[in-house]
Structure formats: C-alpha cells, structure tokens
Amino acid sequence: MLSTHQLGCHRGARKILSGIDLELRAGEVLGVLGANGAGKTTLLATLAGELAATEGRVELDGRAMAGWTPAALARRRAVLPQSPSLSFDLSVREVVAMGAYPFAELTPADHEALLRQALHQADAAGLAERRYLALSGGEQQRVQFARALAQVLAAREPGQYRVLLLDEPTASLDPRHQLMLLGAVQALARAEGIAALVVLHDVNLAAQWCDRLLLLARGRCVALGTPAEVLTPQKLEQVYELPVNVLVHPLAGRGPLVVFGA
C-alpha cells in the first residue's frame, strides 16, 4: 500500500504540505479536491516519488519511498501529469508503448495485447495510427491516459498492488470523455484492484466517481472520507470561500450535488 504519515513538503523555502495522513487502498478511487494552490499537485508528485518529503514519511509496501529505485518504482505506479509534454513526432502507438518500457519481459504478443487494451479503455483506438503532435489537446490527453493504463497494467502479477496517479486528467476533455475517463478509472479499480488517486477541480465529478475524497486547504487536510462526509456546506465554504448549497442528486447513487454561489 502507498501511504503517508504526517507528510510535509517544501518547494524551496515555502511549505506546501503539512501533516497529511493518507492510505491509497487497492480497489479504491480517491479524489483530491481544493482551491488553486492548496497543494494537490505537490501531494501527487510526492506520492509518485518525484518530489522528496521534507517531513514525515511516504511508504510503498512498508518501504520508504527513498528506498525505491526509479526502475522498481516505475513497475508499481503510473503517473499522468497535469500537462504532459511531448515534442517528438511519434505515432500514437509509440506514445502508448512508452508505458511498457519498464517491462522488458513482455513478449511481442503481450505487448500488442497491452496496447490494444489500453487504447480501447482510453477510447483512443481510433487514434492509433495518427501522429501524436497532430492531435487536439483532448485527444492527446486520451493517448497519455492510455500510456498510463499500459504502465499500470503491464506484467502485473495476480493481487500485486499497483497505483495510478492522475493530475487533473479531465481538464481538456469534453463532457463525454470526462465521464468515460473517470468511468474507466473506477472500473479498473474495481476489476483489477488498482489503487487510484485523481486530482480534480470539478466537485460533482468527484462526488460521482470517487469512493473517498481528500479536501485540502493551504496544504492541510480539511476532510477525508466519503463524498457525503466531505462535501458539506461548512467544509466547502471554508476551502473555496464561496456560498455553497449541497443538494440530494436527482439521479440515484450519484452522491451529493454541489452548487456554488447560490
């Protein structure tokens, strides 16, 4: 399991995170919410092992994150950053295949099956033969999502703990593909036992697709729990500094419906 205990993190002299206790459970989707500057991306980077904690602990399977080599870590977690950048004129298949780089043991048949599965789950199969740089921003995001899926699924042993970390993955997507992506993450968590963390700005998408939510403000945890426990007017007004109404969603099973500025 990927976990933190009293996690703190600085960027230069500025303290970004403080006192974060968190567990990413297999088979669960955890959403991270907060206003701009709350520390969401810093938290994801620290969990990914890309940024060192300056206080507390980050552990994967009980071992400190600092004890994992980059190669070993790449076999256990996949990251979709907020703004993936790629300037090389590669095909979509080549970009998605990057997710399989840490797994040299894959046979050509395994590799092909993995690419097909990842492209299908990301609704990007129709883009497979195109050039990545010729795609729209939303299409590129779906391809990058497929790359992360390929990495988190490749050569996975039954029951092995794997983590998928997504930073604002819906930002450049149309409503249909926002729902498709989050539905794919939820289905992957349920079917494969993957632990998923998703940084989101859309509170209602988080309420619909996440099992638990972490609400951050100024680098600290305001609330951690189910959407119903976290998405209360008092907590949301504290974080977003706006009047909030929290309603019963008209569609059953969708979590609370949040209306800002009402």
Side-chain angles (χ1 to χ4, degrees):
M1 181 180 294
L2 182 58
S3 63
T4 71
H5 176 69
Q6 289 297 292
L7 170 67
C9 190
H10 290 72
R11 288 187 183 268
R14 185 182 171 210
K15 192 170 189 177
I16 306 297
L17 296 172
S18 181
I20 304 296
D21 291 317
L22 191 62
E23 292 183 343
L24 298 188
R25 303 167 184 167
E28 178 187 71
V29 181
L30 174 71
V32 181
L33 296 170
N36 291 337
K40 303 182 297 296
T41 293
T42 296
L43 174 62
L44 186 143
T46 307
L47 291 170
E50 297 171 352
L51 188 65
T54 52
E55 297 173 0
R57 301 194 307 273
V58 182
E59 296 180 342
L60 176 58
D61 286 352
R63 190 198 314 175
M65 187 62 71
W68 288 82
T69 66
L73 195 57
R75 294 177 63 91
R76 300 296 300 279
R77 64 95 178 96
V79 182
L80 179 60
Q82 189 175 54
S83 300
S85 59
L86 181 64
S87 57
F88 299 104
D89 186 23
L90 301 176
S91 72
V92 165
R93 288 178 60 84
E94 288 171 320
V95 174
V96 178
M98 290 178 180
Y101 283 0
F103 305 93
E105 70 271 28
L106 290 176
T107 67
D110 291 337
H111 193 271
E112 180 62 24
L114 178 67
L115 294 190
R116 288 181 180 275
Q117 179 183 3
L119 285 164
H120 173 73
Q121 290 181 326
D123 194 27
L127 307 174
E129 304 308 321
R130 294 179 61 184
R131 310 303 295 181
Y132 179 80
L133 295 181
L135 302 178
S136 70
E139 289 170 335
Q140 289 183 355
Q141 186 76 343
R142 284 152 54 197
V143 171
Q144 291 287 352
F145 178 51
R147 174 196 56 75
L149 291 179
Q151 184 177 352
V152 83
L153 291 171
R156 181 168 173 262
E157 300 170 5
Q160 184 187 49
Y161 181 82
R162 295 272 182 101
V163 183
L164 182 62
L165 303 170
L166 309 173
D167 194 357
E168 297 188 34
T170 62
S172 60
L173 299 181
D174 59 54
R176 173 175 172 266
H177 285 102
Q178 288 180 0
L179 297 179
M180 177 280 303
L181 185 146
L182 292 172
V185 172
Q186 187 185 76
L188 186 70
R190 301 285 190 272
E192 301 289 343
I194 301 296
L197 180 143
V198 187
V199 173
L200 292 167
H201 273 301
D202 190 316
V203 173
N204 289 308
L205 282 178
Q208 179 177 346
W209 295 105
C210 298
D211 301 296
R212 287 190 301 150
L213 298 175
L214 170 64
L215 189 59
L216 291 176
R218 294 175 291 280
R220 292 185 174 273
C221 174
V222 173
L224 175 63
T226 66
E229 293 169 338
V230 170
L231 300 179
T232 67
Q234 180 182 13
K235 292 168 184 171
L236 291 169
E237 289 175 9
Q238 176 186 347
V239 169
Y240 294 104
E241 300 180 354
L242 282 171
V244 180
N245 277 336
V246 179
L247 312 173
V248 176
H249 202 289
L251 300 178
R254 295 297 181 94
L257 177 65
V258 177
V259 181
F260 285 102

